[in-house]
Amino acid sequence: MNVINEAGILAISTRLHRLSEQLRKDGAMIYKAFGIDFELKWFPVIFTIYKKETASVVEIANEIGYTHPSTITLLKELEKLKLLAWKKDKNDERKRLFLLTPKGIELVEKMKPVWELVTIVLSEIADNENNLLKAINEAEEKIANQSFYQRAMQLKNSR
């Protein structure tokens, strides 16, 4: 066991980052093995629009948990690649609704078998999606109610 693993909960951020980086690296290799030119940073946007069919910048940012500027950067990149397009919202002319282009739909269709494979493999790694995802969901819910920083300051002030 290395020092970071021995640090236990103190190093949770480092360990989650390490796990995330390994999953990203392997995920990129999996897409490449299927002959799909795809960057993992695009996944949350592509998947959200695939599921919702159309979505505004604000809706996408809220769904994926990214800032508005980060979301716009990804949307512009995907537009430039002609994977996404937008149309004006009929109810609010100022709002743009993003949707997959035919090229984007074709990409999603190529990725579906990869998603099925990845779901099976990650379910095995994450113990059938029970333990790891349950723990992540619980942690995210607690942090949404009161941030890590807020909890630390509350404890500091109560001592």
Side-chain angles (χ1 to χ4, degrees):
M1 188 183 305
N2 65 33
V3 173
I4 295 300
N5 290 10
E6 288 175 13
I9 197 72
L10 188 59
I12 192 166
S13 177
T14 301
R15 294 196 58 198
L16 287 171
H17 180 73
R18 189 169 65 189
L19 176 61
S20 175
E21 286 301 309
Q22 185 63 53
L23 292 173
R24 283 181 171 278
K25 185 179 116 199
D26 287 352
M29 289 178 4
I30 292 167
Y31 281 115
K32 192 174 184 177
F34 276 79
I36 300 170
D37 185 22
F38 186 75
E39 289 191 39
L40 275 100
K41 67 180 180 177
W42 302 334
F43 175 80
V45 172
I46 292 284
F47 193 78
T48 298
I49 296 172
Y50 160 66
K51 284 297 195 179
K52 292 186 148 296
E53 294 184 14
T54 63
S56 69
V57 175
V58 172
E59 288 172 318
I60 295 166
N62 289 339
E63 285 286 340
I64 68 177
Y66 287 13
T67 63
H68 195 267
S70 296
T71 303
I72 288 172
T73 299
L74 285 171
L75 289 167
K76 284 181 179 177
E77 195 172 328
L78 292 165
E79 267 187 283
K80 194 181 253 185
L81 294 167
K82 298 188 181 350
L83 295 171
L84 296 182
W86 59 270
K87 63 182 181 181
K88 287 187 179 184
D89 186 332
K90 291 176 186 166
N91 300 325
D92 183 350
E93 288 281 319
R94 298 167 298 167
K95 194 191 296 188
R96 296 187 303 164
L97 297 176
F98 287 85
L99 61 149
L100 293 171
T101 62
K103 184 178 176 183
I105 293 167
E106 184 181 323
L107 175 65
V108 166
E109 290 305 316
K110 283 184 187 174
M111 290 193 304
K112 282 181 181 179
V114 179
W115 294 346
E116 287 177 29
L117 176 97
V118 166
T119 298
I120 293 166
V121 174
L122 287 176
S123 293
E124 291 172 8
I125 291 170
D127 190 22
N128 294 322
E129 296 186 24
N130 290 330
N131 296 336
L132 182 58
L133 284 182
K134 184 177 179 189
I136 290 170
N137 288 338
E138 287 174 7
E140 286 177 336
E141 194 173 302
K142 286 179 181 178
I143 288 172
N145 291 330
Q146 186 181 27
S147 75
F148 172 43
Y149 172 78
Q150 291 167 330
R151 289 168 188 267
M153 291 304 100
Q154 183 179 16
L155 185 59
K156 174 185 178 260
N157 294 333
S158 70
R159 288 185 165 193

